[in-house]
Amino acid sequence: LRRGLREVSPGATRDLAGAVSRLELLRRAQGDLAATRAATEESLALVTELLDEDPTSAAARRDVVIQRCHLGDVLVRQGELE
C-alpha cells in the first residue's frame, strides 16, 4: 500500500502517517492500548521511512521524535516501561 501511494503522490506517505496518527489518538481516547500501540508503531515506521529518504528534513525528524514519545507513553501505560 505504501509503495503504491508513493507512486501516486510523493506526499502520500506523510499523509498516510498523519491519518494513522489520528487513528492512534482515537484509539487512545477509546482506551484501547493494544490498538493505540499498533497505530503508533505503524505511524513511527512511516515517518522513519520518510526520515530515511531525507535525513535533512526537520519535519521528518520532528515526526519521528513525536511518534517515539507517543510509543513510550503507550508502553508506560501498558506497564512495559517505568
Side-chain angles (χ1 to χ4, degrees), residues 18-71:
V20 173
S21 183
R22 287 186 294 280
L23 177 62
E24 166 200 343
L25 295 175
L26 172 67
R27 297 300 188 210
R28 182 183 306 231
Q30 293 173 332
D32 186 344
L33 291 178
T36 301
R37 181 176 178 173
T40 304
E41 289 172 341
E42 178 65 15
S43 185
L44 178 58
L46 289 163
V47 295
T48 299
E49 186 178 306
L50 290 171
L51 183 59
D52 290 344
E53 290 173 5
D54 183 4
T56 64
S57 170
R61 289 179 187 195
R62 180 200 65 222
D63 292 345
V64 168
V65 169
I66 289 168
Q67 289 307 314
R68 285 181 177 172
C69 288
H70 287 185
L71 182 57

